[in-house]
Amino acid sequence: MEIGIHNTTIALTIALSVLNSTEVAIPAVIYSILMYILATAFGFAISRGTRTAAAKEPQLQG
């Protein structure tokens, strides 16, 4: 997620400041929106799978 934020910032900076083109910035904006949604969903999916697997494992008594 952090890399996606950095890539979006760089892409928007180059598109808007250097190239002075809002048309070139559109793909970066779309990527940014999708990245936040998909990265959040992936994070929830991974954390749910970890908790579910841990709950199914038998506890060792020592």
Side-chain angles (χ1 to χ4, degrees):
M1 188 180 243
E2 181 182 352
I3 293 172
I5 295 169
H6 288 266
N7 288 344
T8 302
T9 305
I10 292 170
L12 288 173
T13 301
I14 291 172
L16 296 174
S17 297
V18 177
L19 300 176
N20 199 22
S21 172
T22 56
E23 292 84 16
V24 177
I26 291 172
V29 171
I30 293 171
Y31 167 77
S32 175
I33 293 168
L34 288 175
M35 184 269 309
Y36 280 111
I37 294 168
L38 294 175
T40 303
F42 182 73
F44 278 124
I46 292 296
S47 65
R48 280 185 110 172
T50 304
R51 277 191 254 143
T52 304
K56 290 181 180 178
E57 290 180 10
Q59 297 294 326
L60 296 177
Q61 296 180 6

